[in-house]
């Protein structure tokens, strides 16, 4: 028995020795992570020759299946598990400069080559980029409970602790009041709200109430709308060279209301992408779709409507990805994505979702939502009710849509086979001379017995006909043209037709010869059955109501409306991105890498696309919005590149925190933006003092770890609105057409029309920045100087700059001088009798705390110097004070001080 135990012990010892030898002979290697270790080297050193644009040698590192596939040599370059046998590694190590990779560039470092060798040895396992994987629930760190106000702080504290840093103390109440007000409403709060917060003995409860009150303010929507209008590339003009006016301000007002109402973000997106697809869409849902009518249109003579219609569709594709999904997508128009898993043809599959909207780059901007006067809206409601009761729900919806949107009409600019006819300016409308002929292609005439058309002709004696399939084909309608000044809408009745036919419209006038005179102008055509319900009680009255509404004046807004089934466009891959080189036909779909988020049974239209965007499995929508909100409050996103969360974007500073907030945004906050904003602002992270210490300057200069509070220069809108509010002249009226605050002559140059910047009069001069009229080719100068977006295309992120021009704006721009005058008036009225008291009060109105004695001394000295100057030279007072009522040396000197206050670093900065 003893011998048996000894043998057993010897065997165990032998096994242990063998195991130790194995461990030493084959040391353990940490697994190589593809995304953080391999992909960055590929993107930096390899992908330009072996990716989406080029595939030298038939080798690509963009997709796993391509990387492991046979190259032009007939063999794969990467053999998983065998780095020494992989041609990929051999090319990195060879000394032959013609063979070594990267070709004609610096060789990879030993460390980089080692990463590749280990990766291949471990099986060359591919990895998915973190941002392209679904958002999952994240475990909240346990550290930092003594400091944390909420879960955000625990994530922040964990990184601070790892870096050997401590969070900063909480900022004082005055600083938090100003910071929160600028972030939530973009300007100074009402005095009663500020006083209540500053005097409340319970600091935490007072702060939470402040946040809640500011979130309830109507000014919240005005401030936060500016962020979204950059994404939506909102402007009051169409863009391109002529840059004519566009009446789309109701979309801007819709955005303001949406933020104020806290419209759930998934619905906010759905209505903008596909509001017209709702059953019986409301005016507001139609107006929401103007999000994608903010794309530019080109009215310049001689341009191709189809070319610029396609350009608008491409812009919508790029805006959707870059603005809503933080993914660079524009490059895929020409080739597969160089860095991210998106193939060339997938761009056009996605484009197919947008390729069937009714807009066609016409100057009239059809389709337009009509909003009638209240009495006309009541008539429309009554008509719709009558149609539902006497005809059908379907017919009622069809006629309602036609009266509200003018769709589905056929634009005259799409006619062809022209004879004695021309498309005016190549893009305006169809012009007929005598004996004119034009083809309206592929018209669905099934159960059609009427054509309504919008035209103009002031020449009597004209006669028109409609022919089937040929200019001399069977005539199915013939009528005399009513001559009248201006455009008119008329109907032509004819026998019921069947089938799909080319319809030729012809015109002749026996009183005219064959000259070049244009006799008829056509705008659009609408083929349908005649007004239904004949024989029903009230028919004639309702028919008259229909025609009254059809011709009634209405305010209009460009919107999205889908093509009818019988006029759907096909979508093709554009070879090398050129619209004139169509390749294979494709159908609507999302890139394969993101298909997992497509809901089952989602339709292949914009509503299906919206369902995919807002599906909780979509990896990008919630992350993008959370990142954008974080950037608004902290100055920089968790992922700094708001426009690119892909493999070439900046790495997230706190990836787990981003996922945690994105998860909560969807699941706990039910897509509530206000709840998300409040969560961020209630954190201890947000409330920190923003002062930088020597240690923080050395270890975290750019505040990536958030060891201090946010500090950044105010945005263009915040600057204007802050000074409007503290000077006491802010006009709080909301909504409406864009206004034109003061700017000098010569900024605008509109050669295609006589449009001029008409400086606003009275209180309109003092509207908030969000209501400033925005001309793409000449944006408001002071706002563009402070990094306002031009809005020619989607602008996901403003890059802050510091230039001398900015100082010149706040020091010298007439708008800011005017506001300083009003500030002087307020200081003299409300600041006390003594000049020092007035200066101190002015500072307090801006900063919400007493002015430091040293600073007051400097400003008092400045006042005295200026006072002496103007006392000596009274002739300079008038030009400085302008409309100021009290024109004396004291007021002039106080204006110099007010202007100085406006330009203090702490005043133009959120500390």
């Amino acid at each position: 028995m003893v011998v048996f135990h000894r043998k057993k012990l010897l065997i165990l010892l032998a096994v242990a020795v063998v195991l130790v030898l194995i461990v030493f002979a084959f040391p353990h290697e940490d697994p190589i992570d593809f995304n953080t270790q391999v992909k960055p080297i590929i993107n930096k050193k390899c992908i330009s020759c072996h990716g989406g644009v080029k595939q030298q040698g038939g080798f690509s590192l963009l997709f796993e299946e391509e990387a492991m596939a046979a190259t032009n040599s007939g063999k794969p370059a990467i053999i998983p598990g065998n780095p020494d046998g992989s041609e990929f590694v051999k090319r990195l190590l060879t000394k032959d400069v013609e063979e070594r990779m990267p070709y004609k560039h610096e060789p990879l470092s030993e460390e980089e080559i080692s990463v590749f060798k280990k990766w291949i040895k471990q099986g060359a396992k591919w990895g998915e980029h973190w941002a392209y994987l679904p958002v999952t629930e994240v475990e909240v760190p346990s550290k930092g409970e003594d400091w944390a106000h909420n879960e955000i702080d625990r994530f922040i504290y964990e990184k601070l602790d790892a870096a050997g840093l401590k969070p900063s103390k909480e900022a004082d109440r005055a600083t938090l009041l100003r910071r929160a007000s600028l972030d939530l409403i973009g300007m100074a709060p009402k005095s009663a709200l500020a006083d209540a917060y500053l005097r409340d003995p319970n600091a935490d409860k007072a702060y939470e109430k402040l946040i809640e009150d500011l979130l309830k303010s109507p000014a919240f929507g005005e401030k936060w709308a500016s962020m979204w209008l950059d994404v939506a590339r909102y402007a009051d003009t169409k863009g391109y060279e002529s840059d004519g006016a566009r009446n789309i301000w109701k979309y801007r007002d819709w955005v303001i209301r949406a933020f104020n109402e806290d419209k759930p973000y998934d619905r906010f997106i759905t209505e903008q992408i596909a509001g017209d697809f709702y059953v019986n869409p409301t005016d507001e849902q139609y107006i929401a779709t103007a999000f994608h009518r903010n794309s530019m249109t080109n009215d310049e003579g001689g341009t191709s409507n189809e070319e610029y219609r396609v350009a608008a569709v491409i812009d919508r594709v790029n805006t959707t990805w870059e603005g809503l999904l933080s993914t660079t997508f524009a490059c895929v128009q020409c080739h597969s994505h160089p860095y991210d898993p998106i193939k060339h043809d997938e761009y056009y599959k996605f484009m197919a979702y947008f390729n069937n909207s009714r807009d066609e780059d016409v100057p009239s901007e059809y389709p337009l939502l009509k909003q009638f006067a209240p009495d006309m809206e009541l008539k429309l409601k009554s008509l719709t009710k009558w149609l539902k009761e006497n005809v059908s729900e379907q017919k009622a919806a069809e006629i309602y849509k036609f009266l509200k949107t003018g769709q589905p009409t056929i634009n005259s600019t799409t006619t062809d086979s022209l004879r004695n006819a021309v498309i005016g300016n190549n893009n305006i409308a169809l012009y007929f001379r005598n004996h004119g002929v034009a083809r309206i292609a592929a018209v669905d005439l099934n159960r059609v017995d009427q054509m309504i058309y919008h035209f103009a002709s002031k020449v009597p004696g004209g006669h028109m006909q409609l022919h089937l399939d040929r200019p001399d084909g069977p005539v199915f309608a013939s009528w005399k043209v009513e001559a009248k000044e201006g455009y008119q809408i008329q109907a032509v009745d004819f026998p019921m037709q069947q089938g799909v036919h080319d319809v030729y419209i012809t015109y002749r006038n026996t009183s005219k010869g064959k000259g070049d005179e244009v006799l008829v102008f056509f705008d659009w055509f609408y083929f349908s059955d005649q007004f239904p319900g004949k024989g029903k009680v009230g028919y004639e009255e309702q028919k008259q109501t229909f025609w009254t509404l059809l011709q009634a004046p209405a305010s209009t807004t460009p919107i999205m409306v889908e093509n009818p089934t019988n006029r759907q466009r096909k979508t093709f891959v554009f070879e090398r991105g050129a619209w004139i080189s169509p390749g294979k036909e494709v159908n609507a779909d999302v890139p394969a890498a993101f298909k997992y988020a497509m809901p089952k049974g989602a339709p292949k239209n914009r509503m299906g696309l919206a369902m995919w965007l807002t599906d909780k499995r979509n990896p990008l929508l919630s992350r993008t919005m959370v990142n954008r909100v974080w950037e608004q409050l902290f100055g920089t996103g968790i992922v700094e590149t708001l426009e690119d969360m892909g493999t070439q974007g900046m790495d997230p500073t706190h990836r787990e925190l981003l996922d945690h907030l994105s998860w909560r945004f969807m699941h706990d906050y039910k897509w509530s933006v206000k709840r998300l904003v409040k969560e961020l602002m209630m954190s201890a992270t947000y409330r920190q003092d923003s002062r930088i210490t020597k240690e923080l300057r050395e270890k975290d200069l750019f505040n990536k770890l958030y060891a201090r509070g946010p500090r950044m220069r105010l945005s263009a809108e915040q600057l204007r609105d802050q000074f409007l509010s503290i000077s006491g002249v802010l006009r709080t009226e909301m909504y409406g057409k864009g206004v034109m605050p003061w700017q000098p002559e010569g900024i605008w140059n509109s050669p295609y029309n006589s449009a001029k910047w008409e400086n606003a009069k009275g209180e309109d001069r003092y509207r908030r920045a969000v209501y400033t009229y925005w001309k793409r080719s000449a944006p408001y100068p002071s706002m563009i100087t402070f990094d306002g977006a031009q809005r020619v295309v989607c602008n996901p992120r403003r890059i802050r700059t510091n230039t001398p021009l900015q100082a010149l704006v706040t020091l010298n721009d007439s708008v800011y001088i005017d506001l300083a005058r009003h500030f002087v008036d307020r200081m003299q009225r409300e600041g006390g009798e003594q000049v020092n008291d007035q200066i101190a009060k002015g500072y307090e109105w801006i900063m919400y705390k007493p002015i430091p004695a040293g600073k007051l001394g400097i400003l008092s000295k400045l006042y005295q110097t200026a006072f002496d100057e103007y006392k000596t030279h009274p002739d300079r007072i008038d030009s400085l004070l302008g409309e100021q009522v009290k024109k004396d040396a004291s007021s002039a000197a106080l204006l110099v001080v007010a202007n100085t206050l406006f330009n203090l670093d702490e005043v133009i900065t959120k500390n």
Side-chain angles (χ1 to χ4, degrees), residues 279-300:
V279 177
N280 301 321
T282 64
D283 283 7
E284 291 296 295
Q285 287 167 335
Y286 271 127
I287 289 170
T289 67
F291 171 74
H292 271 323
R293 290 304 307 278
N294 283 308
S295 51
M296 297 193 295
T297 56
N298 195 339
D299 293 350
E300 185 185 350

Side-chain angles (χ1 to χ4, degrees), residues 240-283:
Y240 293 115
E241 187 179 14
S242 55
D243 202 21
R246 172 179 282 164
N247 198 49
I248 201 167
W249 53 267
K250 288 184 179 178
Y251 169 75
R252 177 245 290 141
D253 291 354
W254 179 88
V255 174
I256 294 171
R257 289 190 180 96
F259 276 110
N260 276 334
E261 295 165 3
D262 199 20
K263 187 184 289 285
Y265 188 65
D266 57 342
R267 217 170 85 223
F268 179 75
I269 293 299
T270 299
E271 290 181 9
Q272 291 180 88
I273 296 294
D276 55 310
F277 278 90
Y278 282 93
V279 177
N280 301 321
T282 64
D283 283 7

Side-chain angles (χ1 to χ4, degrees), residues 105 107 129 160 241 244-245 311 315 368 398 450 471-472 512 530 534 539 566 617 696 739 785 819 888:
H105 285 79
H129 182 57
L160 288 175
E241 187 179 14
D315 172 69
L368 301 167
E398 178 186 316
Q450 186 182 70
D472 59 350
K512 295 287 182 179
Q530 295 175 31
K534 196 168 186 176
Y539 170 78
N566 62 339
R617 294 170 297 171
L696 291 178
V739 295
T785 301
L819 293 177
D888 54 28

Side-chain angles (χ1 to χ4, degrees), residues 532-605:
K534 196 168 186 176
K536 301 286 186 179
V537 175
Y539 170 78
E540 291 298 335
E541 179 186 352
Q542 297 301 330
K543 182 179 178 181
Q544 182 57 48
T545 298
F546 169 81
W547 278 96
T548 299
L549 287 164
L550 188 56
Q551 301 181 81
S555 64
T556 60
T557 302
I559 56 167
M560 297 282 277
V561 175
E562 197 76 347
N563 274 325
T565 306
N566 62 339
R567 299 197 78 83
Q568 292 278 302
R569 299 184 188 96
K570 293 182 177 181
T571 303
F572 301 91
V573 174
F574 295 161
E575 301 295 343
R576 296 176 180 247
W579 75 281
I580 54 174
S581 300
K584 68 175 182 179
E585 183 181 349
V586 291
N587 297 313
D589 210 343
V590 299
F594 305 96
K595 270 191 181 181
Y596 63 82
M598 181 63 74
K600 188 176 181 180
K604 296 287 187 178
N605 56 31

Side-chain angles (χ1 to χ4, degrees), residues 226-513:
S226 292
M227 169 195 75
W228 191 256
L229 295 179
D230 281 359
V231 174
R233 69 272 194 235
Y234 168 83
D236 294 293
T237 59
K238 300 177 184 180
Y240 293 115
E241 187 179 14
S242 55
D243 202 21
R246 172 179 282 164
N247 198 49
I248 201 167
W249 53 267
K250 288 184 179 178
Y251 169 75
R252 177 245 290 141
D253 291 354
W254 179 88
V255 174
I256 294 171
R257 289 190 180 96
F259 276 110
N260 276 334
E261 295 165 3
D262 199 20
K263 187 184 289 285
Y265 188 65
D266 57 342
R267 217 170 85 223
F268 179 75
I269 293 299
T270 299
E271 290 181 9
Q272 291 180 88
I273 296 294
D276 55 310
F277 278 90
Y278 282 93
V279 177
N280 301 321
T282 64
D283 283 7
E284 291 296 295
Q285 287 167 335
Y286 271 127
I287 289 170
T289 67
F291 171 74
H292 271 323
R293 290 304 307 278
N294 283 308
S295 51
M296 297 193 295
T297 56
N298 195 339
D299 293 350
E300 185 185 350
T303 57
S304 163
N305 282 351
E306 178 60 12
E307 177 182 0
Y308 286 95
R309 182 199 70 80
V310 170
V313 172
I314 286 171
D315 172 69
R316 289 162 194 166
V317 171
N318 298 341
T319 295
T320 302
W321 278 93
E322 196 170 334
L324 275 56
L325 302 173
S326 286
T327 298
T328 56
F329 206 70
C331 58
V332 193
Q333 178 185 343
C334 300
H335 49 72
S336 292
H337 202 293
Y339 307 105
D340 295 323
I342 306 164
K343 296 183 178 179
H344 179 46
D345 65 340
E346 291 177 328
Y347 184 96
Y348 296 95
K349 291 177 181 178
F350 196 85
M351 176 177 156
Y353 284 112
F354 294 105
N355 199 31
N356 271 296
S357 58
R358 282 294 307 124
D359 58 291
E360 294 174 343
D361 196 64
V362 292
S364 48
E365 300 246 79
Y366 300 136
L368 301 167
L369 175 70
K370 295 180 183 178
Q371 290 185 288
F372 301 106
D375 60 327
M376 289 291 105
E377 288 287 351
L378 288 174
K379 285 181 180 290
L380 176 60
K381 187 176 181 181
S382 175
L383 172 64
T384 304
K385 183 174 182 290
W386 184 87
L387 287 165
K388 286 178 180 178
E389 292 172 351
N390 291 279
V391 185
S392 68
E393 292 263 356
Q394 180 181 348
K395 199 64 183 177
E398 178 186 316
I399 290 176
Y400 178 89
K401 180 179 179 180
F402 177 59
L403 290 171
K404 289 292 284 186
T405 71
Q407 297 302 322
T409 54
I410 299 170
N411 290 323
S412 68
T413 52
T414 62
T415 57
D416 56 19
S417 302
L418 306 181
R419 193 164 70 224
N420 292 320
V422 67
I423 304 300
N425 217 25
N426 203 42
N427 63 7
I428 297 175
L430 173 63
Y431 297 174
F432 262 19
R433 297 185 288 271
N434 203 5
H435 303 291
V437 178
R439 181 183 75 144
I440 309 170
V443 179
D444 187 349
L445 293 177
N446 284 300
R447 301 193 60 77
V448 168
D449 60 3
Q450 186 182 70
M451 181 186 79
I452 299 175
Y453 68 116
H454 190 216
F455 78 107
S457 179
K458 58 183 180 181
V459 181
H463 188 267
M464 288 194 204
Q465 290 183 329
L466 296 179
H467 303 255
L468 285 177
D469 299 321
R470 304 186 313 276
D472 59 350
V475 176
F476 66 95
S478 182
W479 70 100
K480 290 182 179 179
V481 180
E482 182 180 353
K484 188 186 291 186
E485 287 288 340
Y487 269 90
Q488 52 182 310
I489 299 175
Q490 296 288 347
V492 179
D493 297 340
F494 44 77
M496 188 71 71
Q497 302 294 306
Q498 297 294 330
V500 176
H501 298 270
D502 290 343
V503 173
Y504 285 82
I505 183 166
T506 63
Y507 173 88
R508 61 184 173 82
N509 193 317
T510 55
S511 67
K512 295 287 182 179

Side-chain angles (χ1 to χ4, degrees), residues 727-791:
S727 61
V729 295
L730 174 70
R731 188 181 183 192
T732 56
E733 178 187 346
M734 298 179 69
Y735 312 124
K737 292 183 178 181
V739 295
M740 298 181 178
W742 185 90
Q743 76 174 19
E745 285 286 337
I747 301 295
W748 272 27
N749 182 16
S750 303
Y752 289 90
N753 54 45
S754 58
K756 287 187 176 181
W757 183 275
E758 301 288 349
N759 285 329
K761 306 294 183 185
E763 291 184 348
D764 272 351
R765 292 177 295 169
Y766 306 120
R767 296 286 302 278
R768 290 198 69 173
V770 72
Y771 299 113
T772 300
Y773 189 93
W774 204 252
K775 185 177 176 73
R776 284 181 162 120
S777 57
Y780 193 56
S782 64
M783 289 176 66
I784 208 74
T785 301
F786 280 99
D787 308 321
Q790 193 173 357
R791 295 179 181 165

Side-chain angles (χ1 to χ4, degrees), residues 171-189 194 197-198 207 210-211 214 223 681 686 690 710-715 718-719 721-723 725-726 842-849 901-911:
D172 60 73
R173 281 206 195 188
T175 298
L176 289 178
L177 170 62
R178 183 168 181 268
R179 184 187 295 175
S181 299
L182 288 167
D183 279 339
L184 289 179
I185 62 173
M187 60 184 186
Y197 166 67
L198 293 170
Y207 178 73
L210 171 70
I211 300 303
L214 291 171
K223 190 276 177 188
M681 295 186 72
Y686 177 82
S690 63
R711 185 182 189 278
M712 70 211 73
R713 200 210 47 238
L714 302 184
S715 69
Q718 286 172 323
L719 279 168
D721 295 346
Q722 172 183 246
F723 293 136
S725 56
I726 63 174
Y843 179 89
E844 189 177 335
W845 285 330
I846 302 172
M847 304 305 299
Y848 308 104
K849 56 188 174 185
L901 283 170
F902 279 15
N903 284 273
L904 292 177
D905 183 65
E906 60 191 308
V907 172
I908 64 170
T909 303
K910 184 184 80 172
N911 288 303

